[in-house]
Structures are given as C-alpha cells and as structure tokens.
Amino acid sequence: MYAIRVDGLTKEFGEITAVDDLSFAVKEGELFGLLGPNGAGKSTLINILVTLIRPTTGSATVDGHDVREETAAVRNSLGIVFQEPALDEDLTGAENLAFHGRLYGLDRAERDDRIDEVLELVDLEADRDRLVGTYSGGMKRRLEIGRGLLHEPSVLFLDEPTVGLD
C-alpha cells in the first residue's frame, strides 16, 4: 500500500499554476523529500495533501484516503509540522501537547503517556512545565515536531522541518 499517491495533480490560482500535472507515490515506511526553489509549489502540494486546499485537477490519496472525498479520514491519519510556528506561547510545552492530544481524541491516560514519550524524544522533558514563550526558537521547533508525532500518525508531513532547529 502507498502512504501517499498523487496522479496528475494540478493546482492553479488564477493565471498561476503552482503545481503542474504532478505524479508520484510514496510507499508505507518510506522517507520522501520534496526539494525545489522558493515558489516551486512544495507548500501548495502539502496543503493539498493535508486537505487545506483542493486541487484543480488530478487525484491524491493519503493513507489510502482520497484528499477530496475523505478529508476527515486523511486528517486523522496524518501529523503536520507547518513551516510557520503554531504553538500557544501562553501554555507550557506539556499543556500545548495536551491540548493537541485532546483534539486528536486521545484519552487522558494515553495522552499523558504520549506526552511523556514525545517530550523525551524531542529532549524537552526538563522544560515541560515552562511557558513556550520562554523557549528558544529551536526548542519551539522541536516541540512542534513532537506535536506532529503525538498521536502516532500513519503519515507525517514536515514543511521546512530544519528551519530554526537546534
């Protein structure tokens, strides 16, 4: 089975074609990197695959779910680390993860276990109770990566994952 399958995908914004007849497949367990210059359509492609925008033509599936027809199933199967920060700086690291764990439907026991595991994985366990507003940029980026992994997604999207990473 494919984790991601894209067939003839195009996205147009008026006169601008951001993604042009793109096709590829990513097998389960495979690491796949998408490289290109600014404006090449990488973020547009990710936004299509995570169901934030609809393609103009073509098809795409994530974890076997159609990005047009099965948006909830696609969203439930993936983790996302966006290019721009999306943390609440008035919450602690653990509180940010707990909030997102609730959004993903994790029960309290599972959420608490996963928060501990993720904070250890991204080397923030000692800083779990500090306000995120006091974190360095690299610490925030690691917390965002941890948040993307919190619910153990089938597919993880990392948009510019090394920007600001320490």
Side-chain angles (χ1 to χ4, degrees), residues 5-112:
R5 186 173 180 101
V6 173
D7 292 305
L9 202 68
T10 297
K11 178 61 182 175
E12 297 170 340
F13 296 98
E15 299 292 318
I16 298 171
T17 302
V19 177
D20 189 11
D21 193 29
L22 182 64
S23 297
F24 67 91
V26 180
K27 294 178 183 173
E28 286 182 356
E30 186 175 13
L31 297 176
F32 181 83
L34 189 61
L35 303 174
N38 290 341
K42 301 178 301 293
S43 292
T44 298
L45 174 62
I46 289 173
N47 285 331
I48 292 169
L49 294 175
V50 301
T51 75
L52 292 178
I53 60 176
R54 293 178 61 87
T56 306
T57 61
S59 64
T61 59
V62 175
D63 197 32
H65 304 289
D66 186 277
V67 298
R68 290 180 195 256
E69 304 299 325
E70 301 173 272
T71 57
V74 169
R75 290 177 182 179
N76 285 335
S77 68
L78 55 85
I80 310 167
V81 179
F82 292 106
Q83 184 175 351
E84 297 298 322
L87 297 168
D88 187 327
E89 295 199 355
D90 294 325
L91 297 177
T92 67
E95 290 169 338
N96 265 278
L97 294 177
F99 175 77
H100 285 277
R102 284 190 293 274
L103 291 177
Y104 284 114
L106 301 179
D107 65 46
R108 185 179 184 107
E110 183 181 12
R111 189 171 59 236
D112 290 346

Side-chain angles (χ1 to χ4, degrees), residues 81 85-89 91-94 96-97 118-148 161-166:
V81 179
L87 297 168
D88 187 327
E89 295 199 355
L91 297 177
T92 67
N96 265 278
L97 294 177
V118 164
L119 287 171
E120 182 178 350
L121 178 69
V122 297
D123 196 25
L124 290 173
E125 63 270 51
D127 301 291
R128 68 180 293 126
D129 296 320
R130 283 182 47 201
L131 293 178
V132 169
T134 68
Y135 281 17
S136 69
M139 293 169 75
K140 290 176 185 177
R141 194 64 174 160
R142 287 185 284 146
L143 184 61
E144 288 180 327
I145 292 169
R147 185 189 61 212
T162 60
V163 172
L165 193 60
D166 57 7

